[in-house]
Amino acid sequence: MTQRSFTLAQEARVKTVEMTSAANASHVGSGLSMMDILACLYTEVISIDPANPKSQNRDRVIVSKGHAAAAVYAILGTLDFFDASWLSEYCSDGSMLGGHVTSHGVPGVEFSTGSLGHGLPLGVGAALGIKRRLRSERVFVLCSDGELDEGTTWESALLAAHHSLSNLTLIVDRNRIQSLGSTETTLRLDPLDKKFESFGWEVSSVNGHDHSELIKVLLQPQTSPRVVIANTVKGYGISFMENSVYWHYHSASPEERDAAIHEIRSAKYA
Amino acid sequence: MRNTFMNTLFERASKDPKIVFITGDLGYSVVERFADELPNQFLNVGIAEQSMVGIAAGLASEGFRCFVYSIANFPTMRCLEQIRNDVCYHNLPVTIVSVGAGVSYGSLGYTHHAVEDLAIMRPLPNIIVGSPADPMETIALTNFFVDRNGPGYLRLGKNGEPAIHNSTPELSIGKPIKVRPGDQGIIFATGNVLNIANEAASVASRNLGIEISVWSFPFIKPIAIDSLQEILADAPFVLTVEEHVRSGGFGSAILEACSDNDIDVQIKSVFLNESPLTAVGSADYIRSQRGLSVDSIVSSIKRCL
């Protein structure tokens, strides 16, 4: 863990709870589960300049689980990709920041997503283009585990391995909960590592809330596309939100919001 | 048309490394030269249309100009959401190329007939829909899409269509091209069936003694309103002809344009009937069985008189 990644994750968690609560918006649990991944990427792994987010030499981060928009915006707003005051207008009339990640009018976002299963093909195309131009930028795609149900994941996973896209990393937010319940009772994914291995990918499984583990694996050189299966807890960091499909949809009441923020702020960097 | 398209794209790609040709594993005997001579600009994604379009959008976001190629409905319906969200919404330079407009692949059956594609592609944001009538229009439209920095749909016939134009026409976006003079009625046609429309105009001249002008529409979206206003001013009638079902196709586009812009003219349409056939046959056979033939066009002309 680093102080920077810890502080960013903590601050963005608070904002995510505030934003979804104020907007009465869904998907707070989805955002909290992937917050540590985003915080590690943006502080210790990728190269990107918030003041020049379309620079050719930036690393690309494509968030395929577009419903976790509040978390993405909380990270980008905290890092000054745009004015943090935008966050308080999340999902309100006329706001740039809606309930699914958009690159339209929002600096720092590569693609507008929301319909699941779009991120990996986009990332494969970007990685292939970067390789064909003999450039060295890396492409990170962050997807949910539920969206691995989509066939596009596996179509493009085949192509990524076929073309040895060593500049492509897929991070799976493996919180094991999807829309109506457990991923394993909905449409079994395990053994997920074996599936990707058989597709020709390098596979790493890590604790998706352990910053040291995340940073280490995300900085390792690759010789083929890599999937990082980040084992996470939906709603992580707020005891009453953890591991519950309820918080895929529900937004915090003012009392729940305050309790959640108190719990987030109580966590100490160690 | 597909050979003309490939030759034109090959020529342009030879001089421009940004042009990438992507196929969903189709184009046997058509794509080999491109693959062999420009391997860094060629990509066969396998039989995977959804990922094909997403990957094309990813490549386009990195500065490439992508042409995505497959047959009939495969590069449109199978991957419609990728076209809508990834390509059109982001206004990326990806042109969807579909070979087998209408019932070009007649005997292969309904699964290989592109007869609802225009209705599906027309409403998408930022897209330009091109429908060449002959090899000359194919050259012009291919060059148009190469030069355009945005989404496109290029609806090609198959192969062996007769040349109607003597040379490559100069395209002006949305504007039709006059292919036959006449002042007693107008036919607007698009795509493969322009030659059928032309023949029907000849029959009308010979048998009915009326001279009908015929216009080819290489663009179905957009349609240049000023051209419509000019051509249709004082026209006794206009008959639209297309190899597509009624709903949402070329005739619909003309009706909408006329209605929205207060162009007051009698409009009739010839199109493919909606119900698929159970029997197979040649493209001409299926067209005629579904209501699109020289005879059906002439009958419609008579109704307009």
Side-chain angles (χ1 to χ4, degrees), chain B residues 40-72:
Chain B
N40 210 35
Q41 294 165 256
F42 177 85
L43 181 65
N44 183 355
V45 299
I47 308 161
E49 293 80 8
Q50 294 177 70
S51 109
M52 172 169 72
V53 175
I55 287 166
L59 277 162
S61 75
E62 294 297 332
F64 292 92
R65 204 150 286 197
C66 299
F67 286 76
V68 168
Y69 177 97
S70 189
I71 282 180

PDB file of all heavy atoms in Angstrom, chain B residues 40-72:
ATOM      1  N   ASN B  40       0.115  -5.343 -42.350  1.00  0.00           N
ATOM      2  CA  ASN B  40       0.004  -4.520 -41.145  1.00  0.00           C
ATOM      3  C   ASN B  40      -1.277  -3.698 -41.127  1.00  0.00           C
ATOM      4  O   ASN B  40      -1.612  -3.061 -40.134  1.00  0.00           O
ATOM      5  CB  ASN B  40       1.223  -3.601 -41.028  1.00  0.00           C
ATOM      6  CG  ASN B  40       1.546  -3.300 -39.595  1.00  0.00           C
ATOM      7  OD1 ASN B  40       1.387  -4.145 -38.725  1.00  0.00           O
ATOM      8  ND2 ASN B  40       1.974  -2.073 -39.329  1.00  0.00           N
ATOM      9  N   GLN B  41      -1.989  -3.705 -42.259  1.00  0.00           N
ATOM     10  CA  GLN B  41      -3.259  -2.963 -42.337  1.00  0.00           C
ATOM     11  C   GLN B  41      -4.440  -3.909 -42.529  1.00  0.00           C
ATOM     12  O   GLN B  41      -5.542  -3.470 -42.866  1.00  0.00           O
ATOM     13  CB  GLN B  41      -3.203  -1.963 -43.500  1.00  0.00           C
ATOM     14  CG  GLN B  41      -2.195  -0.852 -43.290  1.00  0.00           C
ATOM     15  CD  GLN B  41      -1.909  -0.105 -44.572  1.00  0.00           C
ATOM     16  OE1 GLN B  41      -0.870  -0.293 -45.189  1.00  0.00           O
ATOM     17  NE2 GLN B  41      -2.839   0.749 -44.998  1.00  0.00           N
ATOM     18  N   PHE B  42      -4.195  -5.172 -42.333  1.00  0.00           N
ATOM     19  CA  PHE B  42      -5.231  -6.190 -42.528  1.00  0.00           C
ATOM     20  C   PHE B  42      -5.462  -6.909 -41.209  1.00  0.00           C
ATOM     21  O   PHE B  42      -4.525  -7.164 -40.457  1.00  0.00           O
ATOM     22  CB  PHE B  42      -4.768  -7.196 -43.587  1.00  0.00           C
ATOM     23  CG  PHE B  42      -5.732  -8.330 -43.813  1.00  0.00           C
ATOM     24  CD1 PHE B  42      -6.798  -8.185 -44.689  1.00  0.00           C
ATOM     25  CD2 PHE B  42      -5.581  -9.540 -43.134  1.00  0.00           C
ATOM     26  CE1 PHE B  42      -7.695  -9.233 -44.892  1.00  0.00           C
ATOM     27  CE2 PHE B  42      -6.479 -10.577 -43.329  1.00  0.00           C
ATOM     28  CZ  PHE B  42      -7.532 -10.422 -44.218  1.00  0.00           C
ATOM     29  N   LEU B  43      -6.714  -7.219 -40.941  1.00  0.00           N
ATOM     30  CA  LEU B  43      -7.026  -7.951 -39.720  1.00  0.00           C
ATOM     31  C   LEU B  43      -8.225  -8.855 -39.965  1.00  0.00           C
ATOM     32  O   LEU B  43      -9.290  -8.385 -40.359  1.00  0.00           O
ATOM     33  CB  LEU B  43      -7.342  -6.964 -38.575  1.00  0.00           C
ATOM     34  CG  LEU B  43      -7.666  -7.559 -37.209  1.00  0.00           C
ATOM     35  CD1 LEU B  43      -6.454  -8.290 -36.627  1.00  0.00           C
ATOM     36  CD2 LEU B  43      -8.134  -6.469 -36.250  1.00  0.00           C
ATOM     37  N   ASN B  44      -8.026 -10.148 -39.765  1.00  0.00           N
ATOM     38  CA  ASN B  44      -9.149 -11.081 -39.779  1.00  0.00           C
ATOM     39  C   ASN B  44      -9.434 -11.446 -38.328  1.00  0.00           C
ATOM     40  O   ASN B  44      -8.625 -12.101 -37.680  1.00  0.00           O
ATOM     41  CB  ASN B  44      -8.806 -12.327 -40.593  1.00  0.00           C
ATOM     42  CG  ASN B  44      -9.978 -13.295 -40.692  1.00  0.00           C
ATOM     43  OD1 ASN B  44     -11.031 -13.081 -40.071  1.00  0.00           O
ATOM     44  ND2 ASN B  44      -9.823 -14.347 -41.475  1.00  0.00           N
ATOM     45  N   VAL B  45     -10.563 -10.997 -37.820  1.00  0.00           N
ATOM     46  CA  VAL B  45     -10.877 -11.223 -36.398  1.00  0.00           C
ATOM     47  C   VAL B  45     -11.513 -12.578 -36.158  1.00  0.00           C
ATOM     48  O   VAL B  45     -11.821 -12.929 -35.019  1.00  0.00           O
ATOM     49  CB  VAL B  45     -11.825 -10.136 -35.841  1.00  0.00           C
ATOM     50  CG1 VAL B  45     -11.201  -8.766 -35.943  1.00  0.00           C
ATOM     51  CG2 VAL B  45     -13.173 -10.183 -36.532  1.00  0.00           C
ATOM     52  N   GLY B  46     -11.706 -13.342 -37.237  1.00  0.00           N
ATOM     53  CA  GLY B  46     -12.452 -14.584 -37.080  1.00  0.00           C
ATOM     54  C   GLY B  46     -13.947 -14.298 -37.171  1.00  0.00           C
ATOM     55  O   GLY B  46     -14.378 -13.187 -37.493  1.00  0.00           O
ATOM     56  N   ILE B  47     -14.719 -15.313 -36.906  1.00  0.00           N
ATOM     57  CA  ILE B  47     -16.175 -15.188 -37.058  1.00  0.00           C
ATOM     58  C   ILE B  47     -16.722 -14.596 -35.761  1.00  0.00           C
ATOM     59  O   ILE B  47     -17.227 -15.312 -34.885  1.00  0.00           O
ATOM     60  CB  ILE B  47     -16.791 -16.558 -37.375  1.00  0.00           C
ATOM     61  CG1 ILE B  47     -16.051 -17.198 -38.559  1.00  0.00           C
ATOM     62  CG2 ILE B  47     -18.283 -16.427 -37.706  1.00  0.00           C
ATOM     63  CD1 ILE B  47     -16.245 -18.690 -38.674  1.00  0.00           C
ATOM     64  N   ALA B  48     -16.569 -13.305 -35.616  1.00  0.00           N
ATOM     65  CA  ALA B  48     -16.856 -12.657 -34.325  1.00  0.00           C
ATOM     66  C   ALA B  48     -17.192 -11.192 -34.583  1.00  0.00           C
ATOM     67  O   ALA B  48     -16.376 -10.303 -34.370  1.00  0.00           O
ATOM     68  CB  ALA B  48     -15.650 -12.789 -33.410  1.00  0.00           C
ATOM     69  N   GLU B  49     -18.405 -10.965 -35.054  1.00  0.00           N
ATOM     70  CA  GLU B  49     -18.744  -9.623 -35.540  1.00  0.00           C
ATOM     71  C   GLU B  49     -18.809  -8.579 -34.425  1.00  0.00           C
ATOM     72  O   GLU B  49     -18.457  -7.415 -34.645  1.00  0.00           O
ATOM     73  CB  GLU B  49     -20.081  -9.658 -36.288  1.00  0.00           C
ATOM     74  CG  GLU B  49     -20.061 -10.442 -37.598  1.00  0.00           C
ATOM     75  CD  GLU B  49     -20.175 -11.949 -37.392  1.00  0.00           C
ATOM     76  OE1 GLU B  49     -20.426 -12.393 -36.247  1.00  0.00           O
ATOM     77  OE2 GLU B  49     -20.009 -12.692 -38.382  1.00  0.00           O
ATOM     78  N   GLN B  50     -19.279  -8.981 -33.255  1.00  0.00           N
ATOM     79  CA  GLN B  50     -19.393  -7.980 -32.182  1.00  0.00           C
ATOM     80  C   GLN B  50     -18.023  -7.487 -31.761  1.00  0.00           C
ATOM     81  O   GLN B  50     -17.778  -6.280 -31.642  1.00  0.00           O
ATOM     82  CB  GLN B  50     -20.116  -8.579 -30.985  1.00  0.00           C
ATOM     83  CG  GLN B  50     -21.566  -8.916 -31.261  1.00  0.00           C
ATOM     84  CD  GLN B  50     -22.211  -9.572 -30.062  1.00  0.00           C
ATOM     85  OE1 GLN B  50     -22.443  -8.926 -29.047  1.00  0.00           O
ATOM     86  NE2 GLN B  50     -22.475 -10.850 -30.151  1.00  0.00           N
ATOM     87  N   SER B  51     -17.127  -8.411 -31.542  1.00  0.00           N
ATOM     88  CA  SER B  51     -15.795  -7.967 -31.152  1.00  0.00           C
ATOM     89  C   SER B  51     -15.134  -7.250 -32.320  1.00  0.00           C
ATOM     90  O   SER B  51     -14.369  -6.297 -32.120  1.00  0.00           O
ATOM     91  CB  SER B  51     -14.981  -9.147 -30.625  1.00  0.00           C
ATOM     92  OG  SER B  51     -13.976  -9.550 -31.452  1.00  0.00           O
ATOM     93  N   MET B  52     -15.443  -7.648 -33.543  1.00  0.00           N
ATOM     94  CA  MET B  52     -14.875  -6.985 -34.731  1.00  0.00           C
ATOM     95  C   MET B  52     -15.151  -5.481 -34.718  1.00  0.00           C
ATOM     96  O   MET B  52     -14.244  -4.665 -34.940  1.00  0.00           O
ATOM     97  CB  MET B  52     -15.463  -7.608 -35.997  1.00  0.00           C
ATOM     98  CG  MET B  52     -15.108  -6.883 -37.287  1.00  0.00           C
ATOM     99  SD  MET B  52     -15.545  -7.822 -38.771  1.00  0.00           S
ATOM    100  CE  MET B  52     -17.335  -7.681 -38.774  1.00  0.00           C
ATOM    101  N   VAL B  53     -16.383  -5.118 -34.443  1.00  0.00           N
ATOM    102  CA  VAL B  53     -16.733  -3.696 -34.478  1.00  0.00           C
ATOM    103  C   VAL B  53     -16.161  -2.957 -33.271  1.00  0.00           C
ATOM    104  O   VAL B  53     -15.678  -1.827 -33.390  1.00  0.00           O
ATOM    105  CB  VAL B  53     -18.259  -3.509 -34.601  1.00  0.00           C
ATOM    106  CG1 VAL B  53     -18.624  -2.035 -34.512  1.00  0.00           C
ATOM    107  CG2 VAL B  53     -18.750  -4.092 -35.918  1.00  0.00           C
ATOM    108  N   GLY B  54     -16.178  -3.596 -32.108  1.00  0.00           N
ATOM    109  CA  GLY B  54     -15.566  -2.974 -30.931  1.00  0.00           C
ATOM    110  C   GLY B  54     -14.079  -2.751 -31.147  1.00  0.00           C
ATOM    111  O   GLY B  54     -13.532  -1.687 -30.820  1.00  0.00           O
ATOM    112  N   ILE B  55     -13.407  -3.740 -31.706  1.00  0.00           N
ATOM    113  CA  ILE B  55     -11.968  -3.626 -31.975  1.00  0.00           C
ATOM    114  C   ILE B  55     -11.719  -2.527 -33.003  1.00  0.00           C
ATOM    115  O   ILE B  55     -10.773  -1.744 -32.877  1.00  0.00           O
ATOM    116  CB  ILE B  55     -11.417  -5.000 -32.440  1.00  0.00           C
ATOM    117  CG1 ILE B  55     -11.356  -5.948 -31.246  1.00  0.00           C
ATOM    118  CG2 ILE B  55     -10.047  -4.851 -33.099  1.00  0.00           C
ATOM    119  CD1 ILE B  55     -11.154  -7.408 -31.614  1.00  0.00           C
ATOM    120  N   ALA B  56     -12.584  -2.466 -34.014  1.00  0.00           N
ATOM    121  CA  ALA B  56     -12.439  -1.396 -35.013  1.00  0.00           C
ATOM    122  C   ALA B  56     -12.551  -0.026 -34.347  1.00  0.00           C
ATOM    123  O   ALA B  56     -11.790   0.901 -34.654  1.00  0.00           O
ATOM    124  CB  ALA B  56     -13.499  -1.547 -36.101  1.00  0.00           C
ATOM    125  N   ALA B  57     -13.487   0.108 -33.421  1.00  0.00           N
ATOM    126  CA  ALA B  57     -13.635   1.391 -32.716  1.00  0.00           C
ATOM    127  C   ALA B  57     -12.389   1.694 -31.898  1.00  0.00           C
ATOM    128  O   ALA B  57     -11.926   2.846 -31.852  1.00  0.00           O
ATOM    129  CB  ALA B  57     -14.876   1.354 -31.823  1.00  0.00           C
ATOM    130  N   GLY B  58     -11.838   0.668 -31.261  1.00  0.00           N
ATOM    131  CA  GLY B  58     -10.605   0.860 -30.497  1.00  0.00           C
ATOM    132  C   GLY B  58      -9.462   1.298 -31.395  1.00  0.00           C
ATOM    133  O   GLY B  58      -8.706   2.221 -31.065  1.00  0.00           O
ATOM    134  N   LEU B  59      -9.330   0.652 -32.540  1.00  0.00           N
ATOM    135  CA  LEU B  59      -8.290   1.043 -33.502  1.00  0.00           C
ATOM    136  C   LEU B  59      -8.530   2.467 -34.000  1.00  0.00           C
ATOM    137  O   LEU B  59      -7.599   3.268 -34.108  1.00  0.00           O
ATOM    138  CB  LEU B  59      -8.290   0.079 -34.691  1.00  0.00           C
ATOM    139  CG  LEU B  59      -7.522  -1.231 -34.501  1.00  0.00           C
ATOM    140  CD1 LEU B  59      -7.956  -2.263 -35.533  1.00  0.00           C
ATOM    141  CD2 LEU B  59      -6.019  -0.992 -34.613  1.00  0.00           C
ATOM    142  N   ALA B  60      -9.772   2.765 -34.294  1.00  0.00           N
ATOM    143  CA  ALA B  60     -10.093   4.112 -34.802  1.00  0.00           C
ATOM    144  C   ALA B  60      -9.759   5.173 -33.757  1.00  0.00           C
ATOM    145  O   ALA B  60      -9.319   6.276 -34.103  1.00  0.00           O
ATOM    146  CB  ALA B  60     -11.572   4.184 -35.188  1.00  0.00           C
ATOM    147  N   SER B  61      -9.928   4.831 -32.487  1.00  0.00           N
ATOM    148  CA  SER B  61      -9.606   5.804 -31.434  1.00  0.00           C
ATOM    149  C   SER B  61      -8.111   6.073 -31.374  1.00  0.00           C
ATOM    150  O   SER B  61      -7.669   7.062 -30.793  1.00  0.00           O
ATOM    151  CB  SER B  61     -10.111   5.307 -30.072  1.00  0.00           C
ATOM    152  OG  SER B  61      -9.274   4.273 -29.581  1.00  0.00           O
ATOM    153  N   GLU B  62      -7.331   5.185 -31.974  1.00  0.00           N
ATOM    154  CA  GLU B  62      -5.874   5.369 -31.999  1.00  0.00           C
ATOM    155  C   GLU B  62      -5.405   5.972 -33.327  1.00  0.00           C
ATOM    156  O   GLU B  62      -4.221   5.931 -33.654  1.00  0.00           O
ATOM    157  CB  GLU B  62      -5.177   4.022 -31.761  1.00  0.00           C
ATOM    158  CG  GLU B  62      -5.412   3.467 -30.361  1.00  0.00           C
ATOM    159  CD  GLU B  62      -4.832   4.367 -29.263  1.00  0.00           C
ATOM    160  OE1 GLU B  62      -3.851   5.069 -29.525  1.00  0.00           O
ATOM    161  OE2 GLU B  62      -5.408   4.364 -28.154  1.00  0.00           O
ATOM    162  N   GLY B  63      -6.333   6.473 -34.110  1.00  0.00           N
ATOM    163  CA  GLY B  63      -5.951   7.197 -35.325  1.00  0.00           C
ATOM    164  C   GLY B  63      -6.082   6.413 -36.614  1.00  0.00           C
ATOM    165  O   GLY B  63      -5.746   6.929 -37.686  1.00  0.00           O
ATOM    166  N   PHE B  64      -6.575   5.184 -36.542  1.00  0.00           N
ATOM    167  CA  PHE B  64      -6.741   4.398 -37.765  1.00  0.00           C
ATOM    168  C   PHE B  64      -8.124   4.654 -38.373  1.00  0.00           C
ATOM    169  O   PHE B  64      -9.059   5.038 -37.679  1.00  0.00           O
ATOM    170  CB  PHE B  64      -6.555   2.911 -37.475  1.00  0.00           C
ATOM    171  CG  PHE B  64      -5.139   2.557 -37.109  1.00  0.00           C
ATOM    172  CD1 PHE B  64      -4.731   2.539 -35.781  1.00  0.00           C
ATOM    173  CD2 PHE B  64      -4.202   2.271 -38.090  1.00  0.00           C
ATOM    174  CE1 PHE B  64      -3.423   2.241 -35.435  1.00  0.00           C
ATOM    175  CE2 PHE B  64      -2.886   1.970 -37.759  1.00  0.00           C
ATOM    176  CZ  PHE B  64      -2.491   1.953 -36.432  1.00  0.00           C
ATOM    177  N   ARG B  65      -8.197   4.420 -39.673  1.00  0.00           N
ATOM    178  CA  ARG B  65      -9.469   4.565 -40.389  1.00  0.00           C
ATOM    179  C   ARG B  65      -9.872   3.160 -40.813  1.00  0.00           C
ATOM    180  O   ARG B  65      -9.219   2.548 -41.664  1.00  0.00           O
ATOM    181  CB  ARG B  65      -9.260   5.475 -41.599  1.00  0.00           C
ATOM    182  CG  ARG B  65     -10.521   6.132 -42.058  1.00  0.00           C
ATOM    183  CD  ARG B  65     -10.250   7.470 -42.695  1.00  0.00           C
ATOM    184  NE  ARG B  65      -9.913   8.484 -41.686  1.00  0.00           N
ATOM    185  CZ  ARG B  65      -9.948   9.786 -41.898  1.00  0.00           C
ATOM    186  NH1 ARG B  65     -10.303  10.241 -43.063  1.00  0.00           N
ATOM    187  NH2 ARG B  65      -9.635  10.643 -40.939  1.00  0.00           N
ATOM    188  N   CYS B  66     -10.921   2.646 -40.214  1.00  0.00           N
ATOM    189  CA  CYS B  66     -11.220   1.219 -40.330  1.00  0.00           C
ATOM    190  C   CYS B  66     -12.380   0.935 -41.280  1.00  0.00           C
ATOM    191  O   CYS B  66     -13.397   1.632 -41.260  1.00  0.00           O
ATOM    192  CB  CYS B  66     -11.547   0.643 -38.952  1.00  0.00           C
ATOM    193  SG  CYS B  66     -10.183   0.805 -37.794  1.00  0.00           S
ATOM    194  N   PHE B  67     -12.210  -0.116 -42.064  1.00  0.00           N
ATOM    195  CA  PHE B  67     -13.277  -0.639 -42.919  1.00  0.00           C
ATOM    196  C   PHE B  67     -13.559  -2.063 -42.456  1.00  0.00           C
ATOM    197  O   PHE B  67     -12.698  -2.936 -42.523  1.00  0.00           O
ATOM    198  CB  PHE B  67     -12.870  -0.589 -44.393  1.00  0.00           C
ATOM    199  CG  PHE B  67     -12.894   0.805 -44.940  1.00  0.00           C
ATOM    200  CD1 PHE B  67     -11.882   1.701 -44.640  1.00  0.00           C
ATOM    201  CD2 PHE B  67     -13.973   1.245 -45.703  1.00  0.00           C
ATOM    202  CE1 PHE B  67     -11.925   3.010 -45.104  1.00  0.00           C
ATOM    203  CE2 PHE B  67     -14.024   2.552 -46.168  1.00  0.00           C
ATOM    204  CZ  PHE B  67     -13.002   3.436 -45.873  1.00  0.00           C
ATOM    205  N   VAL B  68     -14.763  -2.258 -41.982  1.00  0.00           N
ATOM    206  CA  VAL B  68     -15.169  -3.535 -41.403  1.00  0.00           C
ATOM    207  C   VAL B  68     -16.047  -4.249 -42.423  1.00  0.00           C
ATOM    208  O   VAL B  68     -17.040  -3.690 -42.891  1.00  0.00           O
ATOM    209  CB  VAL B  68     -15.955  -3.286 -40.098  1.00  0.00           C
ATOM    210  CG1 VAL B  68     -16.633  -4.539 -39.634  1.00  0.00           C
ATOM    211  CG2 VAL B  68     -15.028  -2.739 -39.026  1.00  0.00           C
ATOM    212  N   TYR B  69     -15.698  -5.482 -42.748  1.00  0.00           N
ATOM    213  CA  TYR B  69     -16.289  -6.119 -43.932  1.00  0.00           C
ATOM    214  C   TYR B  69     -16.922  -7.460 -43.587  1.00  0.00           C
ATOM    215  O   TYR B  69     -16.304  -8.300 -42.928  1.00  0.00           O
ATOM    216  CB  TYR B  69     -15.149  -6.325 -44.936  1.00  0.00           C
ATOM    217  CG  TYR B  69     -15.482  -7.022 -46.227  1.00  0.00           C
ATOM    218  CD1 TYR B  69     -15.755  -6.296 -47.380  1.00  0.00           C
ATOM    219  CD2 TYR B  69     -15.467  -8.409 -46.317  1.00  0.00           C
ATOM    220  CE1 TYR B  69     -16.013  -6.931 -48.586  1.00  0.00           C
ATOM    221  CE2 TYR B  69     -15.736  -9.059 -47.514  1.00  0.00           C
ATOM    222  CZ  TYR B  69     -15.996  -8.311 -48.648  1.00  0.00           C
ATOM    223  OH  TYR B  69     -16.252  -8.937 -49.838  1.00  0.00           O
ATOM    224  N   SER B  70     -18.137  -7.631 -44.040  1.00  0.00           N
ATOM    225  CA  SER B  70     -18.763  -8.954 -43.935  1.00  0.00           C
ATOM    226  C   SER B  70     -19.972  -9.000 -44.873  1.00  0.00           C
ATOM    227  O   SER B  70     -20.165  -8.105 -45.689  1.00  0.00           O
ATOM    228  CB  SER B  70     -19.165  -9.266 -42.490  1.00  0.00           C
ATOM    229  OG  SER B  70     -19.567 -10.617 -42.381  1.00  0.00           O
ATOM    230  N   ILE B  71     -20.761 -10.048 -44.723  1.00  0.00           N
ATOM    231  CA  ILE B  71     -21.867 -10.289 -45.661  1.00  0.00           C
ATOM    232  C   ILE B  71     -23.211  -9.917 -45.032  1.00  0.00           C
ATOM    233  O   ILE B  71     -23.472 -10.216 -43.861  1.00  0.00           O
ATOM    234  CB  ILE B  71     -21.882 -11.776 -46.090  1.00  0.00           C
ATOM    235  CG1 ILE B  71     -20.800 -12.021 -47.155  1.00  0.00           C
ATOM    236  CG2 ILE B  71     -23.233 -12.187 -46.624  1.00  0.00           C
ATOM    237  CD1 ILE B  71     -20.738 -13.454 -47.633  1.00  0.00           C
ATOM    238  N   ALA B  72     -24.024  -9.292 -45.847  1.00  0.00           N
ATOM    239  CA  ALA B  72     -25.447  -9.077 -45.544  1.00  0.00           C
ATOM    240  C   ALA B  72     -25.659  -8.515 -44.142  1.00  0.00           C
ATOM    241  O   ALA B  72     -25.196  -7.425 -43.839  1.00  0.00           O
ATOM    242  CB  ALA B  72     -26.242 -10.360 -45.764  1.00  0.00           C
TER     243      ALA B  72
END
